[in-house]
Amino acid sequence: MTKRTKIQDIRNIGIIAHIDAGKTTVTERILFYTGRSHKLGEVHDGEAVMDWMVDEQERGITISSAVTTCPWKGQDIHIIDTPGHVDFTIEVERSLRVLDGAVGVFCGVGGVEPQSETVWRQADKYRVPKLAFVNKLDRVGADFFNTVKMMKSRLKANPLVLQLPLGAEERLTGVIDLIRMKAIVWDDDTLGATFRDEEIPADLLEQAERNREQLIETVAEVDDDIMEAYLAEQPIATETLVAAIRKATIRLALVPVLCGSALKNKGIQPLLDAIVAYLPSPADLPPMQGLHPETGEPIACPPLDNKPLAALMFKVALMEGRKLSFVRVYSGRLEAGKEVYNPTRKIKEKVSRLLQIHANKRERLDVAGAGAIVGVVGLKSSSTGETLCHADHPVMLENIEIYEPVISMAVEPKSHSDQDRLQEVLQKFVDEDPTLRVHQDENTGQMILSGMGELHLEVIISRMRREFNTQVNVGKPQVVYRESIAKSAEATSVFDKEVAGQRHYGEVRLRLSPLSRGSGNRFESKVDETVMPAAFVQAVEKGVMESLESGTVMGYPVVDVAVALVGGGYKESLGSELAYKVSAAMACKEALVQADGYLLDPIMKVEVIVPEEFMGEVIGDLNSRAGKIEAIEPKVGVQEIQAIVPLARMFGYSTDLRSATQGRGTYTMHFSHFDKVV
């Protein structure tokens, strides 16, 4: 058991970036300089991080969230890898939910790239304080100030330049620290492990002084104390300036900007110092707000060990065949060997083991306090996004959104050996990712895999082949529709048969009525116990709900229907649950046929960010896809088009958008609602 780190000495951060910005290299250097890995350039998967780097590098995205811990100057820095693509919405949102701060890595040549923009906006949504690190300044064409300019225009950030590059392109030797007014120079012979402070070269001194003046002016705009000292032309102590920058960063008024080249081992140690100096500890942020699962009243979960437990599971992974849950503790203590309560599932689970996850090892813990991010073994039923607390102090940290899959494909094994493993492999993916669903089609016997988008399913198939060596054939992606009814209808069904030597009898009369969109399905009984005993009413409800899982139009689930049990018959000693369940299913199917069933299309909320000169073409394309433009918001140099479009018309959109905008347009898409197919 390790010594408990004080909550003020914990930093929970994510490194967010476009894949080409060098995020992997920055993370690698951090692990090396903090002593977590012992060979530079080696990508550790640390027994705790699923190594999906092939898919990540091929597609330019991060797919999984995972955690590693490294010490720096008496502080514990927990680094969480955050996914960046909207197809992995549940992981993106819940990873950002557990972060206290983030480091945005930008390429000095490419500047603010589309993927960086997407993830930055998602971090803004959760009000996550951020630092920026402009990387790759050793490359030809690198332009530090252009990247800072792009941060203002594209991200609407308020960048605060804390460092300048010392030298340019292949002559980059270090950085100029504008807070201490020193040049930091790295020694190439020690792989960047040693560096020294020097005086700023005479030819750069004037530029450094000008930029420091600008730095103080920017801080003065958001801090009254600095403003007073600045106007009175008093000297400002370094400690005062750092404290003011920290305060402004935490309340999202400023984004400190640092620079360097991770590949050339320059700039990483000052970045670690900045993470500690400017990003918040869990104690610096307002208490996480939760809700009482029964009453819905708000409950504050302050970051204190002596308060009731409130923790959030943000990832599930399978390690050596065992389920490992990644958990962020917001309040109270999580103890190995003790029971916890899951209010979403209304169950108790035992925490068998607690693990501190490191880059290259896992260390057992007895207890994890507020602010900690740990691995938990032993949670069999709990899943991503669910809360762990104590049964006598129940709390739900977030309303769990159910992300319904909107796209499906058929998967079948290539050989007999693959067939045996397919079900098991798919179940592992479903355990890790709650947005993924697997079921067998009753009519065709095919295994159907459903997910959040084309890319989501592509990645799962790719991982299946790479990680589990399971070869499959895949069918073309299909849209997952729903069905509903246009009018009310009634039907009666009688089941009167001999089964296994015993006669079963049940008579059921049902009325089906349409409900407003998004209401779900409802069942109610309008008969008293003299017509039908209560035990059989439950069997009728079960038969109805099972029947609604497959409609009469094309066999998709039926939604937004009210089913009323309005009559039936009962014969003493012949009535059985089987008879009433089958009779209810038959009556429900018959009523659905009469009720004018129709298909419901999944409608997607689409946000397209596009340079102004391509606006007309993009809007025309969305209209041709039966899209409805809901809003157009002007941003600096670009326009954000918000539209709703049927998913069936969005296949191949990313390619079409790229060609229509010379690769400059980006879009995000997520499920909005189901609506009638027109």
Side-chain angles (χ1 to χ4, degrees):
M1 148 116 195
T2 54
K3 186 168 160 278
R4 168 85 170 103
T5 310
K6 286 183 188 160
I7 195 160
Q8 291 83 357
D9 297 336
I10 294 173
R11 298 290 180 276
N12 293 319
I13 65 148
I15 295 181
I16 58 177
H18 190 284
I19 197 76
D20 296 328
K23 179 178 78 162
T24 308
T25 316
V26 169
T27 310
E28 236 173 74
R29 269 39 177 189
I30 286 175
L31 296 178
F32 179 69
Y33 297 132
T34 57
R36 276 289 160 225
S37 66
H38 303 291
K39 185 181 172 196
L40 203 51
E42 191 176 314
V43 178
H44 282 282
D45 70 358
E47 298 176 77
V49 180
M50 299 290 278
D51 191 1
W52 302 345
M53 288 311 295
V54 183
D55 274 316
E56 289 180 348
Q57 287 168 347
E58 277 182 5
R59 300 166 194 279
I61 56 167
T62 304
I63 293 159
S64 108
S65 56
V67 63
T68 181
T69 305
C70 42
W72 184 253
K73 298 187 177 175
Q75 315 272 318
D76 270 3
I77 301 174
H78 301 294
I79 300 173
I80 303 164
D81 223 353
T82 61
H85 196 281
V86 77
D87 274 16
F88 311 99
T89 299
I90 203 161
E91 290 244 349
V92 177
E93 305 252 327
R94 285 173 180 156
S95 298
L96 286 168
R97 181 68 79 147
V98 301
L99 291 175
D100 298 329
V103 177
V105 179
F106 299 101
C107 169
V109 181
V112 177
E113 293 163 292
Q115 202 69 22
S116 315
E117 221 172 311
T118 306
V119 190
W120 191 275
R121 282 204 307 274
Q122 286 175 306
D124 277 343
K125 175 181 164 185
Y126 285 102
R127 299 193 56 75
V128 176
K130 295 171 285 292
L131 298 180
F133 180 73
V134 181
N135 190 26
K136 299 192 178 184
L137 290 177
D138 59 306
R139 280 181 50 186
V140 174
D143 187 336
F144 173 68
F145 286 104
N146 183 51
T147 306
V148 173
K149 208 162 86 186
M150 287 174 83
M151 285 179 66
K152 284 181 187 169
S153 62
R154 291 202 178 174
L155 304 177
K156 304 293 173 290
N158 186 9
L160 179 73
V161 175
L162 300 186
Q163 293 177 348
L164 300 177
L166 187 58
E169 299 177 351
E170 71 277 4
R171 296 187 307 282
L172 183 81
T173 56
V175 299
I176 295 170
D177 180 350
L178 298 176
I179 300 281
R180 297 181 302 124
M181 287 301 279
K182 292 281 181 189
I184 307 171
V185 180
W186 272 265
D187 184 349
D188 287 334
D189 297 339
T190 61
L191 295 173
T194 59
F195 53 94
R196 61 191 179 277
D197 283 352
E198 292 184 355
E199 292 306 315
I200 297 169
D203 57 332
L204 292 172
L205 190 57
E206 190 187 330
Q207 187 194 3
E209 283 171 346
R210 199 168 57 244
N211 279 278
R212 179 179 164 89
E213 185 76 7
Q214 206 175 336
L215 181 156
I216 292 170
E217 274 179 32
T218 307
V219 179
E221 283 168 18
V222 296
D223 188 283
D224 292 344
D225 294 342
I226 301 289
M227 176 63 88
E228 277 179 35
Y230 177 67
L231 292 174
E233 296 185 2
Q234 294 169 348
I236 297 166
T238 302
E239 296 75 22
T240 312
L241 191 56
V242 168
I245 296 170
R246 178 183 177 80
K247 224 162 56 181
T249 305
I250 291 172
R251 67 167 203 270
L252 309 186
L254 294 174
V255 177
V257 182
L258 299 97
C259 61
S261 165
L263 189 67
K264 296 291 167 69
N265 314 313
K266 293 175 174 64
I268 300 300
Q269 294 94 334
L271 173 63
L272 284 162
D273 288 340
I275 288 168
V276 169
Y278 304 121
L279 289 181
S281 75
D284 295 322
L285 297 170
M288 176 56 71
Q289 295 297 312
L291 296 174
H292 192 286
E294 305 300 329
T295 64
E297 66 177 287
I299 298 171
C301 305
L304 299 168
D305 288 6
N306 58 2
K307 295 292 179 185
L309 173 68
L312 184 72
M313 271 179 72
F314 67 94
K315 174 163 174 76
V316 173
L318 284 144
M319 301 291 163
E320 297 151 16
R322 301 191 69 181
K323 184 173 166 183
L324 177 68
S325 309
F326 291 87
V327 174
R328 160 79 195 255
V329 183
Y330 282 101
S331 188
R333 289 152 57 93
L334 198 57
E335 295 181 60
K338 295 282 180 74
E339 273 192 342
V340 290
Y341 178 65
N342 178 336
T344 307
R345 297 179 185 262
K346 297 185 168 59
I347 53 166
K348 287 185 177 178
E349 297 236 60
K350 190 175 179 185
V351 176
S352 307
R353 282 192 290 157
L354 280 180
L355 302 169
Q356 180 74 66
I357 309 292
H358 294 305
N360 55 355
K361 64 173 193 279
R362 286 175 285 178
E363 201 174 321
R364 288 185 73 155
L365 297 172
D366 293 334
V367 65
I373 290 180
V374 290
V376 178
V377 178
L379 304 176
K380 292 187 174 68
S381 304
S382 298
S383 165
T384 303
E386 292 177 355
T387 304
L388 304 177
C389 57
H390 289 141
D392 49 354
H393 289 98
V395 62
M396 283 179 76
L397 286 178
E398 58 176 325
N399 292 326
I400 305 299
E401 274 189 75
I402 297 169
Y403 292 91
E404 287 296 326
V406 291
I407 187 168
S408 293
M409 62 166 57
V411 291
E412 56 183 41
K414 275 193 175 172
S415 67
H416 278 300
S417 61
D418 292 323
Q419 184 156 10
D420 298 339
R421 301 177 59 205
L422 181 61
Q423 190 79 45
E424 183 192 334
V425 169
L426 286 173
Q427 190 53 50
K428 286 181 178 178
F429 285 123
V430 171
D431 286 344
E432 285 187 5
D433 183 352
T435 58
L436 204 62
R437 310 280 164 83
V438 176
H439 74 276
Q440 200 147 15
D441 189 298
E442 287 176 17
N443 302 319
T444 62
Q446 282 181 310
M447 193 76 75
I448 305 294
L449 185 64
S450 307
M452 300 299 291
E454 283 178 281
L455 180 69
H456 190 194
L457 297 183
E458 269 177 41
V459 167
I460 295 296
I461 298 301
S462 169
R463 288 187 57 205
M464 204 182 284
R465 291 170 177 154
R466 281 201 177 109
E467 293 176 29
F468 295 96
N469 200 23
T470 304
Q471 300 306 314
V472 290
N473 295 320
V474 297
K476 201 174 161 221
Q478 299 290 319
V479 175
V480 181
Y481 293 96
R482 293 288 185 271
E483 296 182 19
S484 196
I485 59 173
K487 65 179 188 184
S488 296
E490 281 193 24
T492 305
S493 178
V494 178
F495 182 89
D496 188 358
K497 283 187 180 168
E498 199 170 287
V499 180
Q502 189 181 341
R503 191 172 160 215
H504 295 260
Y505 179 87
E507 183 185 341
V508 172
R509 183 164 186 76
L510 298 174
R511 183 191 302 128
L512 272 59
S513 314
L515 290 171
S516 59
R517 192 69 55 242
S519 303
N521 293 330
R522 290 208 296 264
F523 175 85
E524 64 173 325
S525 171
K526 294 189 173 179
V527 299
D528 61 34
E529 290 210 8
T530 57
V531 178
M532 191 182 298
F536 297 145
V537 172
Q538 285 179 358
V540 168
E541 182 175 358
K542 202 170 178 191
V544 164
M545 290 309 175
E546 284 181 13
S547 183
L548 292 175
E549 284 173 17
S550 170
T552 54
V553 184
M554 285 178 70
Y556 290 105
V558 183
V559 294
D560 304 333
V561 173
V563 183
L565 173 60
V566 292
Y570 169 65
K571 289 185 180 175
E572 192 72 50
S573 79
L574 295 180
S576 72
E577 288 192 14
L578 168 73
Y580 282 99
K581 185 179 166 189
V582 173
S583 185
M586 287 158 53
C588 189
K589 280 281 185 266
E590 197 181 319
L592 283 171
V593 172
Q594 297 171 32
D596 289 357
Y598 59 84
L599 278 184
L600 291 171
D601 230 346
I603 306 294
M604 309 304 284
K605 175 95 177 157
V606 180
E607 288 180 6
V608 188
I609 306 256
V610 61
E612 288 179 29
E613 60 263 38
F614 302 111
M615 275 274 291
E617 206 169 332
V618 170
I619 288 173
D621 182 49
L622 287 170
N623 288 333
S624 74
R625 295 171 188 269
K628 286 181 189 160
I629 309 295
E630 293 196 314
I632 297 173
E633 287 185 15
K635 305 209 162 178
V636 180
V638 293
Q639 299 276 354
E640 183 180 288
I641 305 165
Q642 296 172 6
I644 54 169
V645 191
L647 173 66
R649 308 293 291 272
M650 286 300 288
F651 288 134
Y653 183 63
S654 54
T655 310
D656 292 348
L657 180 66
R658 272 201 299 273
S659 33
T661 62
Q662 297 170 12
R664 291 167 64 195
T666 61
Y667 82 105
T668 59
M669 174 174 85
H670 59 268
F671 173 72
S672 172
H673 61 282
F674 283 100
D675 211 343
K676 192 170 183 176
V677 177
V678 285

